[in-house]
Amino acid sequence: MSRCVSVLLVLVLVARLSSAQQVNNRAELKEVEKVLEELKAERRAMSDRLQAAERELKRVRDTPKVAFAVSLGGNGVVKTTTGSMDLIYKDVLTNVGGAYSDATGEFTAPIRGVYYVRFTANAPTNFPMSAVLYKNGAEVQLIAHEQPSGEGSDTASNGAALLLQAGDKLKMMLWHNTHIWDNSNHHSTFSGFLLFPLVDEPPTEFDAEAELKALQASLKQVQTDNLEVKERLESAERELKATRDVPKVAFAVSLGGNGLQEATTGRKTLIYKDVMTNIGQAYSSETGEFTAPIRGVYYVRFTANAPTNFPMSAVLYKNGAEVQLIAHEQPSGEGSDTASNGAALLLQAGDKLKMMLWHNTHIWDNSNHHSTFSGFLLFPL
């Protein structure tokens, strides 16, 4: 009888142990399944972030850097009395992206987008002056045109943000019975740059079968995938951060004061004291110099105003020596005149730009900011 009881007790104990083991196995299985689902959810979230980051990074990488600045060059007047003629700007200051041809004088838009385009024309005032921007050889986009006004010289500028399709061509033309003038100091210029692309994105596809197979993968495979996705995500986000960390650089300053500045004993540096904008602190109101903080393409422009009874000048120098751009007018009697110039310039880190007043010329300003100097970073290189 006692042996039967012992056997019975052993059987009950084994049954209980077996039942407890099954419960433990089921609990462990549920715990593993929970961890697996959490890892899958983490992977999906990282995959979504990765796809978004890689799409944005692809747009950044695929957007070409486009900027050009050119001058007619030569040494004298270009004139036509037998119909309109193409203006070929031979002196190339900047041609990032290679979209401007100095053989044809045409700028060809490499992609669909919004481009900023401007030009400046200078000529003696004893004959009509013109500079006309055409798109695809037919449509007049912008014009600078002046009628004769006696002895002297005049400067006129124009510019706009234009929506261009890939392959659209821009060129400058001289109209019938007009003229334009330039020399090596770059009085008559033509420039532009891509502001932003406008490219239609194809719809993204969702592969349900591939997603289902991924969700059915083992815990070890999910962990491996998570690590790979995490590494790619961190790499993409680091590159995006570097793109976003490009310094913000923009300045706009005015001579200020209340009257003339004149140079009669040699050239002098123009110190623009009224600072309207100085994001990045690259302009110094003590020296009048703008210092490029990084290598890149910068858009720089200036405007000069003065009475017309004496020569006027405003000359942009790089590193104290090279003349980049100029606004210069000869006397033309009583009155006042305004001239401007501007271009997209490739600068190295540390390059310095400043404005100078040439010998025997003057410039004028007051608190209303007639004579200004400004610029901003377009993109780093």
Side-chain angles (χ1 to χ4, degrees):
M1 179 66 178
S2 61
R3 177 175 293 184
C4 290
V5 171
S6 298
V7 170
L8 183 59
L9 287 174
V10 169
L11 290 174
V12 169
L13 181 59
V14 169
R16 286 181 177 177
L17 288 172
S18 176
S19 177
Q21 185 66 42
Q22 289 176 2
V23 168
N24 289 339
N25 285 345
R26 281 196 296 270
E28 184 178 350
L29 181 60
K30 286 181 180 180
E31 186 63 29
V32 170
E33 287 174 344
K34 180 182 176 183
V35 172
L36 178 60
E37 290 306 316
E38 288 174 352
L39 286 169
K40 289 176 180 178
E42 181 184 354
R43 180 175 180 274
R44 287 195 298 272
M46 285 197 296
S47 293
D48 290 343
R49 287 172 57 198
L50 176 62
Q51 288 171 10
E54 289 182 331
R55 280 197 302 271
E56 184 178 349
L57 196 54
K58 185 176 187 300
R59 281 196 295 270
V60 171
R61 289 170 176 162
D62 291 350
T63 300
K65 302 290 191 295
V66 183
F68 75 99
V70 292
S71 171
L72 272 178
N75 190 23
V77 168
V78 178
K79 186 174 181 178
T80 175
T81 56
T82 57
S84 299
M85 65 177 286
D86 291 349
L87 291 171
I88 310 295
Y89 293 75
K90 290 292 188 181
D91 285 2
V92 178
L93 286 73
T94 305
N95 196 16
V96 175
Y100 174 79
S101 167
D102 61 359
T104 65
E106 288 183 319
F107 168 77
T108 304
I111 61 170
R112 182 174 185 265
V114 175
Y115 296 76
Y116 181 73
V117 182
R118 83 173 310 275
F119 54 91
T120 294
N122 179 278
T125 52
N126 60 354
F127 196 74
M129 174 180 73
S130 77
V132 189
L133 178 67
Y134 278 75
K135 183 172 81 171
N136 298 328
E139 303 171 46
V140 175
Q141 299 294 299
L142 298 167
I143 186 171
H145 186 269
E146 300 290 348
Q147 294 297 335
S149 58
E151 295 303 316
S153 65
D154 198 9
T155 298
S157 300
N158 211 338
L162 301 176
L163 171 59
L164 301 179
Q165 305 299 321
D168 276 353
K169 295 180 181 296
L170 299 179
K171 68 178 179 182
M172 299 298 300
M173 295 194 72
L174 189 65
W175 272 358
H176 172 66
N177 249 9
T178 63
H179 69 177
I180 191 171
W181 183 88
D182 197 18
N183 65 10
S184 59
N185 290 326
H186 315 310
H187 295 253
S188 294
T189 58
F190 175 33
S191 65
F193 48 85
L194 174 65
L195 284 172
F196 50 84
L198 290 172
V199 181
D200 295 331
E201 287 190 30
T204 57
E205 296 182 359
F206 178 76
D207 190 337
E209 185 177 352
E211 185 69 12
L212 180 60
K213 288 180 180 179
L215 293 176
Q216 293 171 340
S218 67
L219 177 59
K220 182 178 179 180
Q221 185 61 48
V222 172
Q223 289 172 325
T224 302
D225 289 347
N226 278 11
L227 182 60
E228 180 185 348
V229 170
K230 184 178 180 181
E231 289 173 352
R232 287 171 59 197
L233 174 61
E234 289 174 349
S235 174
E237 289 183 331
R238 276 196 304 272
E239 190 168 346
L240 275 176
K241 184 178 184 299
T243 302
R244 292 166 180 155
D245 287 348
V246 172
K248 303 293 189 295
V249 183
F251 75 99
V253 293
S254 170
L255 276 177
N258 190 23
L260 282 173
Q261 293 196 38
E262 191 169 277
T264 55
T265 57
R267 68 187 188 188
K268 62 179 283 189
T269 300
L270 291 171
I271 310 294
Y272 292 75
K273 290 292 188 182
D274 286 2
V275 178
M276 296 174 280
T277 306
N278 196 16
I279 295 172
Q281 305 301 312
Y283 173 79
S284 166
S285 60
E286 297 298 318
T287 65
E289 288 183 321
F290 168 78
T291 304
I294 61 171
R295 183 175 187 267
V297 175
Y298 295 76
Y299 181 70
V300 182
R301 76 173 313 278
F302 54 91
T303 296
N305 179 277
T308 52
N309 60 353
F310 196 73
M312 174 182 74
S313 77
V315 190
L316 177 67
Y317 279 75
K318 184 172 79 171
N319 298 328
E322 303 171 47
V323 175
Q324 299 295 298
L325 299 167
I326 187 172
H328 184 267
E329 302 291 355
Q330 295 296 335
S332 58
E334 295 302 316
S336 65
D337 198 8
T338 298
S340 66
N341 212 335
L345 301 176
L346 172 59
L347 301 180
Q348 305 299 323
D351 276 352
K352 295 180 182 296
L353 299 179
K354 67 178 177 180
M355 299 298 302
M356 296 199 72
L357 189 64
W358 271 359
H359 173 65
N360 255 4
T361 64
H362 68 180
I363 192 171
W364 183 89
D365 197 18
N366 65 10
S367 59
N368 291 326
H369 313 309
H370 295 256
S371 294
T372 59
F373 176 33
S374 64
F376 51 86
L377 173 65
L378 282 172
F379 49 81
L381 288 172

